[in-house]
Amino acid sequence: MAKGWQTSNLVVTVLYMLLCCLHCHGDKEKRILLSDPEYVQQQMTHLQSELQTLQATVQAQNVKLQTQDGKISSLEQRLSHANQDGGGATFVRWGRTDCPANLTELVYSGYAGGSWWDHTGAAAEYVCLPRDPDLGPLQNLPNDDYSALMYGAEYESVNGHTPFGPNSHNKEVPCAVCRPKSFVSSLMIPAKTTCYSGWTKAYSGSLAAGEYAHKAASQYVCVDGQAQDLDGGGDANHDGKLFFAVRAQCGSLRCPPYEQNKYLSCVVCLK
């Protein structure tokens, strides 16, 4: 108690001195007397109010800082997990059931599929269908003509020649969905067999798409240079979604560097 009383007296004394200094140059009638406890009490109350306001402001700022620190910590943890986990964007390795060794991990392998090559309302993209489908509770809805359709896929030859492996004409196409282990981006580059600086090659092969005169739209995909046939698949001509090699056509396409009717390569790169 004695220590607290001494501290209070010291504070009051300092306050008195400050008030005297502030008013020492004013009129004599306005000078503050050290013996005026009412005025001192008013000033003390005012200062306490300002101090409380300042403390509340500091506390609010501390709460904001703690919130920001929490957000930063959360982002750092997520980044750390991402770095530990590695990887990010997935890609499809067309024509293979496995993924590039050491660089990626296999998510699943399956069957290449898509729309029928001659349907005008066909979906454009190739898809990699899993080997273990979950057909779901609505699989037995009544069939009608108002639906999209899914088919398997086959390699097609050009005048008996195909870049997708020997005797691959009409063979069914496998696929593998791959996830990079320590890369976050994947990029398919047409007409290249190597990656640009700063990128790592996953695989290279032949550019493929649907045949130009067919009704159905398609997309360009990269079929692995060591393409396989689907295990257990036949070589009967069942059609479906078709893989044709892609030839360059000069005109709006600059030649050189491209050459008329030359087949195009492709590469999938990681970063």
Side-chain angles (χ1 to χ4, degrees), residues 34-112:
L34 295 177
S35 59
D36 186 354
E38 183 178 350
Y39 182 81
V40 171
Q41 184 61 43
Q42 291 176 356
Q43 295 302 312
M44 288 289 292
T45 302
H46 177 69
L47 289 173
Q48 287 176 346
S49 176
E50 289 188 345
L51 179 61
Q52 290 174 352
T53 301
L54 180 60
Q55 288 175 335
T57 301
V58 171
Q59 185 175 4
Q61 292 297 325
N62 285 336
V63 171
K64 290 182 179 179
L65 287 174
Q66 290 173 359
T67 301
Q68 293 298 325
D69 287 343
K71 291 180 179 179
I72 292 173
S73 177
S74 176
L75 290 172
E76 287 175 343
Q77 289 177 359
R78 290 166 61 184
L79 180 60
S80 176
H81 291 159
N83 289 334
Q84 292 173 4
D85 249 358
T90 58
F91 65 91
V92 179
R93 189 182 191 186
W94 300 103
R96 298 284 297 191
T97 60
D98 59 339
C99 292
N102 301 322
L103 297 175
T104 60
E105 62 184 7
L106 178 68
V107 180
Y108 69 89
S109 65
Y111 318 131

Side-chain angles (χ1 to χ4, degrees), residues 90-100 104 106 108-115 123-131 150-155 162-165 168 171-179 186-190 202-210 218-231 240-246 265-269:
T90 58
F91 65 91
V92 179
R93 189 182 191 186
W94 300 103
R96 298 284 297 191
T97 60
D98 59 339
C99 292
T104 60
L106 178 68
Y108 69 89
S109 65
Y111 318 131
S115 293
E125 70 270 22
Y126 297 88
V127 295
C128 188
L129 297 165
R131 296 171 181 265
M150 178 68 72
Y151 296 88
E154 294 179 350
Y155 298 119
T162 171
F164 310 127
S168 61
K171 295 290 183 65
E172 297 168 8
V173 183
C175 56
V177 176
C178 306
R179 179 179 180 271
S186 63
L187 174 67
M188 191 277 280
I189 307 177
Y203 75 92
S204 61
S206 297
L207 195 65
S218 66
Q219 63 180 157
Y220 295 109
V221 294
C222 189
V223 176
D224 193 274
Q226 302 296 323
Q228 302 168 327
D229 304 330
L230 188 64
D231 53 308
K241 191 71 171 176
L242 305 180
F243 285 75
F244 285 87
V246 178
S265 59
C266 56
V267 64
V268 173
C269 304

